[in-house]
Amino acid sequence: MPTNLPDVVLWSIPAFVLLTVLEMALHHFHPDEEAAGYEAKDAATSITMGLGSLAFDLLWKVPIVAIYSAVYELTPLRVPVLWWTVPLMLLAQDFFYYWSHRGHHVIRILWACHVVHHSSRKFNLSTALRQPWTSLTVWPFYLPLIACGVHPAALAFCSSANLVYQFWVHTERIDKLPRPFEYVLNTPSHHRVHHASQAGTSTGTSAAS
């Protein structure tokens, strides 16, 4: 049983703050006419929603962990947490994350939970913090991983690592990356299109959170 896996999101909060302040300074001292930049109330709303999501995630964690633990105990399968299994679990989590996110864009009741993330008219690193307070709608998409023997703590680690990755793609300060990276990864240029195409709509495909 994995007991020493870190909460990547909590460890990354100082980096979130530092990079957001740096991006604000860049917008102020080196403005980009094509970038939306920052607006104080909008950024404050995003940060408040991010803090609120941390609190509500603790609340939703109780029933979710109970369900995951029950399914994990029922399955005879076990995936060990080893140096070579962790990358595979990260890839598997990302696969189910895609379907979770796609579902939250094409199923109306799930979109009602996710739409708050797309509610800002700005696109900057603070927008990444604009997270919904209804993460209870996400857990069913990861049940196959638990049923395959992935420990709930290992899934939590992979999910937090995935969430940290989503932070840096919410920026207009990074242009297109070299083609191999653009072809394989979710990048800021991809994610700008994703947010622009989802403004005020309830359908569409997903690239990332």
Side-chain angles (χ1 to χ4, degrees):
M1 176 184 296
T3 57
N4 58 345
L5 294 173
D7 188 327
V8 184
V9 172
L10 290 180
W11 279 96
S12 300
I13 288 177
F16 291 166
V17 174
L18 178 62
L19 291 172
T20 300
V21 171
L22 177 60
E23 188 184 48
M24 287 180 177
L26 285 173
H27 277 295
H28 180 75
F29 293 107
H30 297 283
D32 183 346
E33 293 182 357
E34 296 182 357
Y38 277 82
E39 194 272 324
K41 289 183 178 180
D42 182 85
T45 298
S46 295
I47 293 170
T48 301
M49 291 177 65
L51 293 174
S53 73
L54 291 176
F56 276 91
D57 281 350
L58 292 175
L59 175 64
W60 303 133
K61 187 177 291 185
V62 175
I64 293 172
V65 169
I67 295 171
Y68 281 172
S69 297
V71 174
Y72 182 78
E73 291 301 321
L74 289 173
T75 180
L77 303 174
R78 290 292 182 268
V79 178
V81 179
L82 304 171
W83 68 267
W84 62 272
T85 60
V86 171
L88 295 177
M89 286 189 285
L90 286 167
L91 286 173
Q93 189 277 337
D94 189 62
F95 173 78
F96 288 105
Y97 168 77
Y98 168 81
W99 288 107
S100 169
H101 194 180
R102 186 183 180 108
H104 279 74
H105 276 268
V106 300
I107 300 172
R108 288 174 182 253
I109 191 170
L110 298 184
W111 172 248
C113 300
H114 182 63
V115 67
V116 295
H117 178 66
H118 289 261
S119 62
S120 175
R121 295 186 177 274
K122 305 293 183 179
F123 190 78
N124 51 56
L125 291 177
S126 75
T127 308
L129 307 178
R130 187 175 288 229
Q131 296 295 323
W133 296 0
T134 52
S135 57
L136 191 65
T137 62
V138 173
W139 69 268
F141 292 91
Y142 297 105
L143 277 176
L145 279 178
I146 302 297
C148 287
V150 174
H151 192 278
L155 174 58
F157 168 78
C158 293
S159 297
S160 62
N162 184 303
L163 188 61
V164 168
Y165 179 89
Q166 307 307 323
F167 176 77
W168 79 281
V169 300
H170 291 81
T171 183
E172 295 182 288
R173 305 299 297 194
I174 299 176
D175 202 358
K176 283 191 175 183
L177 300 178
R179 183 171 294 182
F181 295 100
E182 293 286 344
Y183 187 77
V184 174
L185 301 174
N186 177 33
T187 64
S189 64
H190 292 317
H191 210 57
R192 286 192 289 270
V193 174
H194 175 60
H195 269 251
S197 66
Q198 289 298 324
T201 68
S202 60
T203 58
T205 57
S206 82
S209 164

